[in-house]
Amino acid sequence: PFYEKMPTTKKGGVLHIPLSNDPKVMNPLLSDDSESTSIEGYLWMSLFSMDPETLNFIPGLAVDYSISSDKKSYTFKLNELAKWQDGTPVTSEDIKFTFDTLMNPKTHAAALRSFFEGVSLKVIDNHQFTFYVEEPKFDTLNFLTAFIPIQKKQFENSKDFNNDKGIMNPIGNSAYVMDKYLRSQKITFKRNKNWWAANLPVYKNRF
């Protein structure tokens, strides 16, 4: 894969990235502005990502997927090592909670929800689940692999998801965690010392 060919780098240092505005939210279901979406990849992982050179899928939270012959069901298997930044495992329950929250018409996620029209979800076990699609399209696999879950534990008791304080206090599962947010000044991310994927070969020289 692309990242294995990258030169080894020295850990440490600071990278400054300019943003034109404050992100409206730090939550992958509610983000619809470019500032919010530009920071998502530092904090959350999707089921798979894509190798920019070969366009092959790179395992993210999921290690495997299978597609039925009629292209209407897509079963994913989560990596059993996958953890949230607080050390709790990423499970199919997080996937289901995220999907149900996304499909709730009260959630301010109309643009993202439009991709999932006619899609349903069934949990098989702690680490496996299936998306069922009424009508498969040319990009069905692409948007399913790009699915980013949020942590059920953080939001399951929320009375108003759109305005929950958690939407600005991200609990992610990727290489960085949010350290400080000073509005109109800066957002500081620091390396997630316990990142579950840090030693996987596919992420060897990444982040």
Side-chain angles (χ1 to χ4, degrees):
F2 176 73
Y3 293 102
E4 287 180 6
K5 299 186 198 116
M6 288 173 76
T8 346
T9 50
K10 207 167 65 176
K11 284 190 180 177
V14 178
L15 174 67
H16 295 273
I17 300 172
L19 291 173
S20 49
N21 281 302
D22 284 325
K24 288 185 196 166
V25 293
M26 290 192 220
N27 183 284
L29 290 191
L30 299 174
S31 64
D32 60 2
D33 57 299
S34 59
E35 285 73 33
S36 299
T37 48
S38 69
I39 63 175
E40 280 173 13
Y42 296 102
L43 302 172
W44 289 276
M45 295 177 75
S46 52
L47 297 175
F48 284 83
S49 56
M50 197 175 269
D51 184 313
E53 284 199 337
T54 64
L55 303 186
N56 292 334
F57 288 119
I58 300 171
L61 293 173
V63 285
D64 200 11
Y65 66 86
S66 58
I67 306 172
S68 62
S69 54
D70 63 3
K71 305 272 196 299
K72 287 189 174 181
S73 59
Y74 298 75
T75 300
F76 289 87
K77 186 177 193 307
L78 292 171
N79 190 325
E80 295 188 17
L81 298 173
K83 288 189 170 55
W84 297 100
Q85 67 188 55
D86 63 5
T88 57
V90 177
T91 71
S92 299
E93 285 304 314
D94 294 306
I95 304 288
K96 183 175 184 340
F97 175 80
T98 304
F99 182 77
D100 291 347
T101 304
L102 170 63
M103 300 313 280
N104 181 339
K106 289 182 180 166
T107 302
H108 295 164
L112 183 59
R113 189 159 51 242
S114 67
F115 283 96
F116 287 84
E117 276 173 22
V119 177
S120 58
L121 177 88
K122 186 181 174 193
V123 167
I124 299 170
D125 59 31
N126 239 0
H127 293 98
Q128 292 185 92
F129 54 92
T130 302
F131 287 111
Y132 295 96
V133 180
E134 280 174 13
E135 199 181 313
K137 301 189 174 79
F138 73 96
D139 62 346
T140 298
L141 182 60
N142 283 0
F143 74 75
L144 293 178
T145 53
F147 188 83
I148 298 175
I150 54 173
Q151 188 191 40
K152 178 182 178 181
K153 187 175 86 167
Q154 186 183 18
F155 293 105
E156 62 185 331
N157 298 316
S158 179
K159 302 276 188 289
D160 176 8
F161 177 74
N162 297 310
N163 296 299
D164 191 280
K165 67 179 194 302
I167 66 173
M168 292 309 280
N169 294 287
I171 292 178
N173 48 36
S174 194
Y176 296 94
V177 296
M178 189 182 76
D179 187 29
K180 286 192 195 79
Y181 177 28
L182 302 171
R183 276 189 183 278
S184 304
Q185 293 179 56
K186 65 177 179 180
I187 307 171
T188 308
F189 293 161
K190 62 182 181 184
R191 186 182 293 279
N192 180 358
K193 288 187 184 133
N194 303 313
W195 185 36
W196 64 275
N199 296 318
L200 298 183
V202 73
Y203 294 109
K204 195 170 79 177
N205 300 319
R206 202 174 174 190
F207 298 110

